[in-house]
Structure formats: C-alpha cells, structure tokens
Amino acid sequence: MNPKIERVLSRVQKPARYAGGEWNAVLKNWEQTPVKIAFAFPDVYEVGMSHLGLQILYHLVNERDDALMERVFAPWPDMEKEMRQHRIPLFSLESQRTVGDFDLLAFTLQYEMTFTNVLNMLDLAGLPLRAQERSAQHPLVIAGGPCAYNPEPLADFVDLFVIGEGEEVFPEIIDLVKNYQKHRDREKFLLQAAGIGGVYVPSLYLVEYKPDGKIASIKPSREGVPERVTKRVVKNFDAAPFPDKLVVPSTEVVHDRIMLEVMRGCTRGCRFCQAGNIYRPVREKRPETLLEQARELVKSTGYEEISLVSLSTADYSQVARLVGELLDEFAAQRINISLPSLRVDAFSVALAQEVSRVRKAGLTFAPEAGTQRLRNVINKGVGEEDLLRAVQSAFAAGWSAVKLYFMIGLPTETRADVEGIARLARQVLETGKRLGVPRGKLAVTVSVSCFVPKSHTPFQWEPQDTQEELNEKQALLKNLLKTKGIIFRWHDSRQSFLEAVLARGDRRLAAALEEAWRLGCRFDGWSECFRFDLWREAFRRTGIVPEWYAYQKYDYDDILPWEHISAGVSKKYLIDEHQRALKGILTGDCREGKCSGCGLCVTLEIAPELSGGKEVAPLQGAV
Amino acid sequence: MPRYRVQFSKEGPARFLSHLDLVRTTERALRRARLPLAFSQGFNPHPRFSFAAPLPVGVAGEQEYLDIELEKNISPKEIISRLNMVFPEGIRVKEARPVSDRAPSLMATLKKARYEVEMELSGPLTNSALQGCLDSFLALSAVEAATKKKDRQKTKDIRPGIYRLQGKVEQKKVVLEMELQAGSSGNVRPEEVCRGLLEKCGLPVLLQTCRIKRTGLFFEKSSDSRESGRTATEE
Ligand code: SF4
C-alpha cells in the first residue's frame, strides 16, 4: 500500500472504503495493458459496490487482454479533507494510482443528486472541470447510466455520454481509444466516437434559446454527427456477458449478496417511471442459464444469499420454477434466496413466503397512490382489493410488519388522493389487527416520496408540485397517520425539488452546479450532507431560477432539453400515454402478448424476449 | 465435532477491516474453501467459528487465532492451503492444528497480548531519555485512563495490566513493544498506554500518527497442553 494513503486511512471513518484488496478484485499489469479505465461511482463505496452495473462492466472489461478497469468511489467528506490536506489525488482502489493516469474515467450516473460528487471527483483527480479545458494529457471523461438520458446539466463537464446499455457500447469505445492512443487528437476521437450508436458528444451540438428561455433548437455542429442519439440495448439477453465472479466487499455494503439478474426491462408502463421506459423491452434469461450463473457465483464469492434482481422480479415468467430449483439446489449449503421487489398481490407474498423460511422481517409493497382514480392515472394496475389481499396473506403467513410506498405530487392529485393514502394505511393496519398480529409487533410503515417529473416518461411535460404544496400534503398525512402502529416517513421536499431541477435541466445549469460545488455541496442525496442554503446561494449568484425548471409545464411541441436523446420509445406514444393518463385510461403490459405500440421494438429492431412465455409481435408503423 | 485452531495474520489492506468485517470475510472465505463446515442451529444457520480477540480497525495482527468447527476431519495442511487460496489480500493462514472439542474457547483463555506501536516524534528524543521516560512510567503506582461505558465517562487504572514495556528510537519515530492484559478479565489498549506516556511522562510523540500491530496473543496454560492454544510460555 502507498504509505501516504495508508497513514491517512488510519484517521478516517470506515477506512475499508478506500483500502481495496477485496476478494475477486482484479489488479492487472499496468505497463502491459493498453487501455486503462477507471470506473467512477459518484457515491460512497457501500452504495457503489451494491450496483450490479459496476460488476458487469468490471468483468466485461477485465476479461479483455487489452484493457483494464479499476474502481473509484466518492470519498466521504472526512476523507476528502484528508486528501486535500495531504495532497493525495483521487486514486483507484486496485493499484492506488491517481485517476489522472487512466485513459478513461467512466462515471455512472444513477441519480441526479450525485452530480456535485462528479465535479468533486474530477477536481480531486486534478482534472479541469470543463471538458473544453482538458487536453490529450488528461483522461477522457465519459458517463452513462439512467441520468445520461438527460445529460444536459453535465454537458460542459463530460466528454461523451453513453446512452443505453454499457455492455453494448463499451467494447466499441475501447477499440476507439486504442486508435486514439496512436494520434492523441481529442477532437478527432470525439468526432469518431459520435459515429458510434448510443454515443452522445455534447460539445458537438449547438443549443439555441428563445427569448422566453425555452429551447429554440438543438443541432449537431458538425457533419456526420447524428441529430438524435438513440439508446443501445443488448439483444439476446440470455447470452449477454454476465460476471462469473463478483468483487466481494470485505466491509458491509447496502446490497451484500449475489445479484442474479433474471431479466432486464419492465413494461408494466407506470407513467412516472423512467426505468420502465429506458430499459425496454423486457428481456428474460432462461432458468437454466440463471441456475448455471448462480452455481458459478456461489462458488466464486462464498455469499450466503442470492437475490433475484430486476425491476419487477415477480413478473419474470419462470419465477416460481426458478425459485424452486434454486431452493432445491442451495438449501443444503444454507444459502438463502431473496426477492428485492414484490408486486402488490398474493402471488408475490406466496413467493416471498417460499423463499424466507427464516426471517419474517418486513414486506414492502408499492401501491404508489391512495385512490383508484389516481392509480389509473399513473397506470399502476393495482386495486385496493389486491393490496388488502396481499397484506392479508402476508399477515396470515407470519409477517407482522409491512411497508407501503406512496408518492405525493402526482399529476391531477387532489386532497382526496392524499387522504386516500392514510385511509389505505389504516385499512392495512386494521387487517393486521383482525388477523391477530400481536399489538406490539404490528407495524405499518408508510413511506412517502415526492413525485419528480423525469425525462422520457409520459409525465415529462408535467410540472412538479411546489415545495409549499408538497409540505402541506406531508403535514396533512402526518396528522392523519398519528396512530399507534403506523410509522410515517417522508422525503425532504427540498431534495425532491433539486432532483427535479437537475432531472429537467439544460446546459445552462452548469454554472449553478459548479458554483454549488465550489460552495461545498457534496453528497446531496444524503440528508446529513444536503445544504439547500448553499444551493440557493449558488442559484442566486449565477442568476439561475431553479423554479423555472422544476415547475415548468411544457407543451408537446416545445423542444425539451433532452429532445436529441432517444430511449427508443416514440414521442407519439408518450403523448398518447399522457393523454390517457389525464383520462384515467389504463394501458396493458406488452408481456401479456399485446403490443401497446411504444415504437421501441421497431426502432431498435428488437422484440421482447420472454422465457417460455408468450410471443409478442411488436406493432409496426407505430412510430 | 472436529475443531481446528488456525493461526493467521491480518495485514495490508485487511488491516482496515473492523472485527465485524473480518467475521463476514471469514465466513465467505470458509464457504469458498468448500470445507465441510459445521453450522449453528436455529433460524439463520452460520458456520461455526470464533476468534480469540477482536482487532480494532487499523490494527494489524501478526499472530491471530481462530477456531473453526468442521463436520469431518481434514488434514491441517489441507486446511491451510485451502484457506490461503480463498482469503482476500492481507489475510494469511500460517498454521492449523486440531484441538479437542472440549477445549475451552480461545476467548476464555486469553490472558495477554503483545503489541508493537510506532509513533512519530513531536520533538527530539534520545534512547536514554526514552528509557527514563518508560522507567518513570512503570514506576507509577497507578495510571488512570478514561473509558467510556454507555456514554458515561469513567476511569480505570491500567497500570496493573501493563506487563512489559520497552522501546527504542528509530530516526524520527519511536517504536514501543508492550505486553498488555487481554481477555475476559480485562483489556488494556495500546493507545491508552501511549496517551499515558504522553500525559504522565511527557513522551514527545504525535498520538495521531500511531501505528499499531498486535504481534502475539498469549493464553492460559490448559491442563492438556497438547490441545491448548499457544500457551503463555510459547510464542
Ligand atoms: S414496441 Fe410493443 S412490444 Fe415492444 S416494448 Fe413497446 S409496447 Fe412492448
């Protein structure tokens, strides 16, 4: 270990975050490997190491002879202080080299509230923040992940964005970097990169604004640069590269278990949900493949738990069979199977019961809205009876605590909808009492977040509720939920406001983002670190009105800041969905066999991949 | 059930693991080693193993001990080699030997621990001045150290638990070797001794530069010495 780093580690909290040396970490020969990539997760180690995407890319790159990938996470403020004081630049965990020595610095953008950490990591690495100030001696800074679907607030800081699934695009970028190493002409590299499908080079686009502040046009500034960048997706997901080894953290992380990705995508079509749109179509793996991957991972990691991950695991066509086979195979080794997300129905509870012979800690359901009317608006096909039946079977099966997730501030929401949340929560509590769950144990946690309108969703045109409105709704709920047995949790509306600003922002936000970072904003998603006062100050100093972004109601023919980025879902479909939402009309899930015409499959020349399930014929001419 | 006493070291990056991290890491390593592990009973069965004494975060260990229970006999050589294939960087198994399943636990028989502590100097210090300092410290009849129990400030006398204390000056550092009480009867921490040296005898050291290595653990002699752990006379 580098003695300077080692000394500092003795003084910070949780030094294992920075020490490296975990099982299955890959340390390659630096001199003999042409392309060196630092994978940067702009949050703390425990969060970053829980991210499956990191493990997938890490494996994919390190499998190649011509490239290596090492990891770096955002240092917690105590560590940042030590690093700055002792002039230790941001370093990778594997070789403890400074990030500036790598060819590529690849960020994953999982949520907007990590943006100041991105800037902070660039600075700690000793790199100029702005892409145009960096030269051939600096690493290329790239970024991907869900927030890359509206990359504009980071457009000035990042050289190129990867839109869509990294497994597809990364190999092509690596090849191009090898070429770049011969000529070292950044501009040439970026121009060539812009020709790769799914690659967005923000410096090659010109954005013009109207007098009212809205966008007049977004145009490529050079020949050969596409007008729109469309996401890349993995086809034949069953055969997609999947790690047979995972880096096993030595210290506890948020998701500390084998993550077995059973499928990608979800087409339930919740209208607020960005993931549902950007990860389309649904692609399932075969149970045989998954069983084989589970076997390998159990051997190589020593984990005692396998979690079946996806956006909605209960929807996986073969879930019952898979769970049964995993239990049969691994019970003798005392390995648990877990399901991270449950659907609101009795089937899901039965599944959860099957896998958890042991802990009956708590079950989580997400009805999202308090009334049937509003659930129809958001296309959450869940009825009150579904929820009550689900909790009934949960209580009957021995669970005593349930957690309910709701959202406030959804489009068209009225007071009655908010009251509906409290009513539903009480009904759940009553159900528990009726079924004889012991008083002291019975607990219904009501967790309420604030709706944030996200790009590439049918609600992208909608404004966010004002903070005052959100606070009022929270106060109302607080009042209505003052009952023994109900625990009410809510999200800081100021954080949701900032999230909306960043999620809907354009390039002009760069100034405020940089100023906020300069003022000391870090880890904005962590309530103990969040400094709304500093953010306010940053907006004031840069003359940017954040409300303009969060509360903007867009027209369908407005040019949105992310207009030039396509998730493959057609604009026509999003408009239709928005209209149906306002009328409260439900739209079905195409995995049931009927395409709802989102246009994606035609555009990307793909079809849903269902394992032993129905064939779906994507509608032609829907785009 | 066959029980094996394993001696290992915890250095390099592994030094920064907490005791809980080490427990977690050991469980996963044992599973990877595909040894015939014995599991605990109950709802959430875990492989049965136990450590002699927790090592605090940042403290390296040269000769640590761990008891592992298996369902079948395996040759110690095999245990050593399998474990060394699966422990992460910094954890190395050096020795393994069978102990009787009736032998008392490591924790119960632990008596003392030896540490090597390095600190940077805040001012000039000669070897003879250091010796004088150590002598006067050891001559104290009592050394009060602050302890914190459930948020209540308390003090304890650490002097009786200091069995040996030596040191030398090396360049701008002082290197101390100490043997301190450890185990169920009480624990003296090397930091407490260092603080005492600074506060009581004015040893010119920077406490925050303190780097600690536990170099040995000593156990009570058992009646059946063949099956006991390393005994107080052994090292
Ligand atoms: S095009 Fe049709 S089948 Fe394909 S994802 Fe969209 S709705 Fe589903």
Side-chain angles (χ1 to χ4, degrees):
Chain A
M1 275 188 110
N2 175 332
K4 209 165 154 186
I5 294 174
E6 197 173 1
R7 218 167 309 136
V8 159
L9 290 193
S10 305
R11 290 199 292 271
V12 297
Q13 340 163 11
K14 305 193 182 176
R17 286 169 169 170
Y18 317 101
E22 307 97 316
W23 182 248
N24 285 334
V26 181
L27 180 60
K28 284 195 170 180
N29 184 305
W30 186 267
E31 274 72 34
Q32 280 163 25
T33 313
V35 181
K36 298 150 182 103
I37 306 171
F39 186 99
F41 198 102
D43 206 328
V44 78
Y45 178 88
E46 296 91 308
V47 175
M49 282 307 292
S50 305
H51 178 59
L52 180 60
L54 181 159
Q55 302 268 13
I56 293 177
L57 283 181
Y58 189 79
H59 174 79
L60 183 98
V61 172
N62 283 326
E63 278 286 281
R64 291 174 67 128
D65 290 331
D66 57 354
L68 63 81
M69 182 177 270
E70 301 191 4
R71 295 158 299 146
V72 56
F73 302 89
W76 193 250
D78 66 332
M79 181 63 173
E80 181 190 344
K81 202 172 137 230
E82 295 282 350
M83 288 167 75
R84 291 194 185 276
Q85 191 180 337
H86 297 279
R87 300 184 183 285
I88 298 172
L90 190 69
F91 58 90
S92 66
L93 261 51
E94 281 78 359
S95 65
Q96 302 197 323
R97 271 173 200 273
T98 111
V99 163
D101 289 350
F102 287 77
D103 299 301
L104 277 180
L105 175 55
F107 283 96
T108 182
L109 307 171
Q110 295 297 312
Y111 23 87
E112 289 81 2
M113 305 297 270
T114 60
F115 287 0
T116 52
N117 282 3
V118 172
L119 267 56
N120 197 39
M121 289 171 82
L122 290 174
D123 184 66
L124 280 170
L127 309 183
L129 294 186
R130 304 267 170 170
Q132 85 193 73
E133 285 161 25
R134 292 192 294 264
S135 63
Q137 74 186 73
H138 298 119
L140 294 154
V141 178
I142 75 176
C147 296
Y149 280 88
N150 177 23
E152 292 305 283
L154 288 175
D156 289 357
F157 308 105
V158 172
D159 296 308
L160 72 83
F161 290 93
V162 173
I163 313 298
E165 293 168 350
E167 299 106 308
E168 281 293 296
V169 190
F170 245 81
E172 292 169 34
I173 293 182
I174 292 174
D175 291 339
L176 203 61
V177 169
K178 280 163 82 176
N179 190 32
Y180 166 65
Q181 288 173 331
K182 290 180 202 136
H183 59 74
R184 285 262 162 224
D185 180 345
R186 260 175 111 86
E187 227 172 288
K188 182 171 161 190
F189 169 82
L190 289 174
L191 201 56
Q192 285 175 340
I196 299 179
V199 169
Y200 167 57
V201 181
S203 58
L204 297 177
Y205 292 77
L206 270 177
V207 184
E208 278 166 5
Y209 304 93
K210 293 195 230 168
D212 67 358
K214 286 186 177 169
I215 292 171
S217 65
I218 306 175
K219 285 197 206 101
S221 62
R222 298 277 290 270
E223 195 84 21
V225 177
E227 295 216 355
R228 273 192 115 193
V229 178
T230 303
K231 82 168 179 204
R232 292 279 293 273
V233 285
V234 176
K235 284 177 206 174
N236 190 4
F237 186 59
D238 188 57
F242 194 75
D244 51 7
K245 291 185 180 126
L246 303 171
V247 181
V248 182
S250 307
T251 191
E252 192 174 14
V253 300
V254 181
H255 297 297
D256 207 6
R257 51 190 76 94
I258 290 171
M259 289 178 273
L260 194 63
E261 192 182 20
V262 299
M263 64 173 175
R264 203 170 282 179
C266 168
T267 36
R268 299 209 136 226
C270 297
R271 289 172 179 137
F272 55 84
C273 179
Q274 191 189 44
N277 286 294
I278 63 181
Y279 293 113
R280 273 172 191 237
V282 165
R283 287 149 293 158
E284 298 183 341
K285 284 188 186 164
R286 291 178 308 132
E288 299 80 20
T289 308
L290 292 166
L291 220 61
E292 189 49 42
Q293 291 175 347
R295 255 175 232 137
E296 288 296 316
L297 288 171
V298 163
K299 258 192 254 164
S300 68
T301 63
Y303 271 126
E304 59 291 326
E305 184 175 341
I306 302 171
S307 174
L308 307 182
V309 303
S310 75
L311 290 169
S312 177
T313 299
D315 285 341
Y316 172 55
S317 315
Q318 309 278 325
V319 67
R321 174 180 157 200
L322 178 67
V323 163
E325 288 178 8
L326 287 171
L327 285 172
D328 284 349
E329 178 146 354
F330 295 111
Q333 296 176 51
R334 271 84 158 186
I335 289 170
N336 294 319
I337 313 295
S338 68
L339 304 159
S341 54
L342 286 186
R343 226 162 48 190
V344 188
D345 57 22
F347 171 73
S348 300
V349 177
L351 262 185
Q353 197 184 349
E354 195 179 341
V355 301
S356 72
R357 296 143 301 158
V358 239
R359 268 165 291 152
K360 294 249 150 87
L363 281 188
T364 303
F365 301 100
E368 308 287 3
T371 60
Q372 197 57 51
R373 186 201 69 81
L374 192 53
R375 283 194 295 273
N376 289 349
V377 167
I378 62 176
N379 204 40
K380 186 92 196 179
V382 172
E384 203 162 300
E385 327 73 58
D386 296 322
L387 176 67
L388 294 177
R389 232 175 289 139
V391 295
Q392 219 164 337
S393 19
F395 289 136
W399 274 281
S400 52
V402 296
K403 205 180 205 181
L404 306 174
Y405 273 119
F406 292 98
M407 224 181 248
I408 51 170
L410 285 162
T412 77
E413 184 183 55
T414 64
R415 191 182 163 99
D417 298 308
V418 182
E419 288 166 349
I421 294 175
R423 200 179 37 81
L424 218 48
R426 282 169 180 282
Q427 270 175 287
V428 170
L429 187 73
E430 286 311 315
T431 310
K433 283 186 191 158
R434 221 181 35 245
L435 287 170
V437 181
R439 289 269 162 148
K441 277 192 175 170
L442 178 62
V444 179
T445 303
V446 181
S447 192
V448 175
S449 65
C450 308
F451 167 68
V452 176
K454 292 266 162 115
S455 65
H456 307 278
T457 66
F459 288 161
Q460 61 179 351
W461 294 280
E462 289 283 343
Q464 188 179 41
D465 260 9
T466 65
Q467 277 182 73
E468 292 70 41
E469 288 166 327
L470 292 170
N471 293 342
E472 258 169 52
K473 290 175 185 176
Q474 287 173 349
L476 173 64
L477 280 174
K478 225 179 287 178
N479 238 322
L480 293 173
L481 290 174
K482 267 193 202 131
T483 305
K484 192 165 173 286
I486 295 187
I487 304 150
F488 176 49
R489 296 227 164 88
W490 64 95
H491 211 85
D492 186 341
S493 63
R494 300 169 312 164
Q495 275 175 312
S496 305
F497 170 73
L498 184 63
E499 189 183 332
V501 174
L502 295 170
R504 316 182 88 205
D506 55 40
R507 290 183 178 200
R508 291 169 295 186
L509 270 186
L513 190 57
E514 188 174 337
E515 189 60 28
W517 166 74
R518 275 191 204 292
L519 288 170
C521 292
R522 313 275 189 274
F523 290 97
D524 298 305
W526 293 72
S527 42
E528 66 262 53
C529 300
F530 182 56
R531 291 288 306 271
F532 195 52
D533 54 333
L534 297 183
W535 269 102
R536 279 252 166 252
E537 177 63 14
F539 285 123
R540 198 189 57 77
R541 287 192 191 177
T542 50
I544 289 166
V545 183
E547 291 79 7
W548 191 84
Y549 289 99
Y551 304 156
Q552 184 74 247
K553 184 166 172 53
Y554 283 111
D555 291 331
Y556 293 142
D557 35 353
D558 282 335
I559 294 174
L560 303 173
W562 50 90
E563 196 78 33
H564 53 313
I565 307 294
S566 166
V569 175
S570 75
K571 183 166 181 180
K572 179 177 164 293
Y573 174 79
L574 292 179
I575 294 175
D576 280 355
E577 276 297 290
H578 186 225
Q579 288 296 319
R580 287 166 76 96
L582 298 179
K583 293 183 198 123
I585 305 170
L586 290 172
T587 299
D589 185 340
C590 62
R591 71 150 57 240
E592 302 303 333
K594 189 168 161 279
C595 170
S596 26
C598 80
L600 177 127
C601 289
V602 182
T603 305
L604 300 180
E605 296 174 357
I606 193 171
E609 298 167 1
L610 300 179
S611 171
K614 298 194 171 77
E615 290 273 326
V616 187
L619 286 177
Q620 303 290 318
V623 193
Chain B
M1 265 203 225
R3 192 161 123 200
Y4 293 86
R5 187 146 294 177
V6 172
Q7 193 210 91
F8 67 99
S9 59
K10 172 178 173 271
E11 289 159 320
R15 191 181 132 199
F16 296 103
L17 303 185
S18 68
H19 182 61
L20 219 71
D21 293 340
L22 182 64
V23 171
R24 195 182 345 258
T25 299
T26 303
E27 167 161 358
R28 287 175 190 157
L30 289 173
R31 284 173 174 274
R32 291 192 292 265
R34 319 214 105 202
L35 290 166
L37 303 173
F39 279 84
S40 62
Q41 302 294 310
F43 274 146
N44 221 349
H46 282 283
R48 296 175 61 101
F49 60 89
S50 59
F51 292 89
L55 262 182
V57 182
V59 176
E62 247 172 20
Q63 289 183 21
E64 296 293 309
Y65 290 93
L66 153 77
D67 275 1
I68 300 171
E69 284 178 49
L70 300 182
E71 282 190 318
K72 289 201 304 241
N73 284 309
I74 301 265
S75 86
K77 249 177 82 186
E78 174 89 15
I79 293 179
I80 298 172
S81 80
R82 283 217 225 167
L83 286 178
N84 277 333
M85 273 156 61
V86 293
F87 264 124
E89 195 184 335
I91 302 176
R92 279 285 142 275
V93 171
K94 296 171 167 175
E95 232 184 77
R97 58 209 180 87
V99 286
S100 148
D101 57 0
R102 280 166 295 120
S105 76
L106 284 161
M107 192 92 87
T109 48
L110 179 66
K111 280 289 154 219
K112 60 177 179 171
R114 186 178 57 212
Y115 297 91
E116 188 185 285
V117 182
E118 258 181 43
M119 275 177 292
E120 283 171 28
L121 291 172
S122 60
L125 183 71
T126 63
N127 267 314
S128 60
L130 170 64
Q131 197 51 52
C133 188
L134 298 181
D135 289 344
S136 63
F137 184 73
L138 290 173
L140 294 169
S141 57
V143 178
E144 295 294 308
T147 59
K148 217 177 170 186
K149 251 190 198 147
K150 288 186 189 130
D151 285 335
R152 275 228 315 276
Q153 286 290 344
K154 269 190 163 177
T155 60
K156 66 169 179 188
D157 180 13
I158 59 169
R159 179 61 193 87
I162 303 172
Y163 304 142
R164 199 162 71 86
L165 179 60
Q166 287 177 325
K168 56 178 187 284
V169 180
E170 272 178 11
Q171 284 149 352
K172 286 180 196 148
K173 277 189 289 198
V174 58
V175 184
L176 302 174
E177 202 179 282
M178 43 184 99
E179 281 177 20
L180 307 174
Q181 183 185 24
S184 46
S185 59
N187 261 300
V188 175
R189 301 191 305 124
E191 295 95 321
E192 293 167 345
V193 177
C194 296
R195 180 168 293 280
L197 282 166
L198 173 78
E199 288 171 358
K200 303 280 186 310
C201 305
L203 188 71
V205 287
L206 298 163
L207 285 182
Q208 70 274 22
T209 63
C210 158
R211 206 189 131 119
I212 307 171
K213 186 156 52 168
R214 187 152 77 192
T215 52
L217 291 173
F218 303 90
F219 302 89
E220 197 169 294
K221 253 194 190 138
S222 136
S223 51
D224 179 3
S225 66
R226 189 176 51 87
E227 288 181 349
S228 72
R230 291 280 163 171
T231 60
T233 47
E234 271 184 285
E235 269 185 34

